[in-house]
Amino acid sequence: MKHSKICILSFIFLLFASNAIFAQSDSDYIVKHFVDDFGDPTDHKYLLAVVSGKFSNSATRDSLLLVRVLIANDEISFKLYEYGKNEVTGSDYTQYVVKMKFPDGNIIEKTAKIDTYTSRLDISHLFDSSIDFETMFSGIAPIKVYIYEKDRPYTNYSFSVTFPSKEFIRNNLGSDFFWIQ
């Protein structure tokens, strides 16, 4: 009896935990505040969600990847965690190729660097007029992401993310942003 209770509780925990790591709708995003030098919250807000995926490199293949998706007034970025806990940090010389496949089949591919201070991969500059922002910010359209090191393509990251709706962004961050026209 004790063993079956543990199994049931473990299953329930995994069910809730797995739902929390797949940003598939507006409700998966939470509102957070940037902090100042003293760790106190500022008035500047951002949306945060965590999605899961997989990564590979010379030492592993298809291992657990967690990605923090951050949306602020002037930035959309990803923070990558190998094995779900080891933060991928940037360097001045490492370039990444970011490929995004949209539901309409459109694929964009550009290079980016991980910021050495924040360890975030800012993808805001990837967006251009070829992107269907209505679909991207519908709150229901999953976008596939594939990132690899330009000089070492065997180091790669793949995941899928559903960005929140424009209305959710406006309601929680208070304004329109450059990518929402």
Side-chain angles (χ1 to χ4, degrees):
M1 184 70 170
K2 186 177 181 181
H3 180 67
S4 64
K5 285 182 182 179
I6 291 172
C7 287
I8 290 170
L9 289 174
S10 297
F11 174 75
I12 291 170
F13 172 77
L14 289 173
L15 181 64
F16 284 116
S18 65
N19 285 340
I21 62 171
F22 298 103
Q24 300 302 329
S25 69
D26 291 348
S27 63
D28 294 324
Y29 285 84
I30 58 172
V31 178
K32 306 275 287 184
H33 289 263
F34 287 106
V35 296
D36 63 18
D37 293 335
F38 303 99
D40 297 324
T42 66
D43 292 336
H44 301 288
K45 298 185 281 187
Y46 63 95
L47 299 175
L48 177 69
V50 179
V51 298
S52 67
K54 55 188 176 181
F55 80 97
S56 297
N57 60 30
S58 61
T60 189
R61 184 162 175 79
D62 295 336
S63 292
L64 174 65
L65 170 73
L66 289 184
V67 181
R68 288 184 179 212
V69 181
L70 182 139
I71 300 173
N73 63 347
D74 60 352
E75 173 186 358
I76 299 176
S77 62
F78 301 133
K79 198 165 191 174
L80 309 170
Y81 293 88
E82 295 175 342
Y83 303 107
K85 61 184 179 197
N86 299 334
E87 183 178 280
V88 177
T89 57
S91 69
D92 290 333
Y93 59 88
T94 305
Q95 284 199 328
Y96 293 86
V97 176
V98 180
K99 295 174 72 173
M100 298 176 74
K101 184 174 184 180
F102 294 83
D104 65 0
N106 183 28
I107 297 173
I108 60 171
E109 179 177 337
K110 295 191 179 176
T111 59
K113 286 187 175 184
I114 293 178
D115 184 277
T116 55
Y117 179 71
T118 65
S119 297
R120 294 194 304 254
L121 182 67
D122 187 349
I123 63 163
S124 306
H125 72 281
L126 299 179
F127 307 132
D128 59 27
S129 62
S130 70
I131 293 175
D132 177 5
F133 287 105
E134 292 298 318
T135 301
M136 181 174 176
F137 292 103
S138 66
I140 58 172
I143 296 168
K144 295 178 181 177
V145 181
Y146 183 76
I147 301 168
Y148 63 91
E149 283 188 31
K150 188 173 183 177
D151 294 333
R152 297 185 308 178
Y154 53 83
T155 298
N156 57 70
Y157 309 89
S158 63
F159 56 95
S160 189
V161 62
T162 300
F163 290 105
S165 67
K166 293 190 307 185
E167 294 73 27
F168 186 82
I169 293 170
R170 279 189 200 110
N171 291 340
N172 287 284
L173 298 183
S175 64
D176 288 338
F177 301 99
F178 71 92
W179 62 84
I180 301 176
Q181 303 300 327

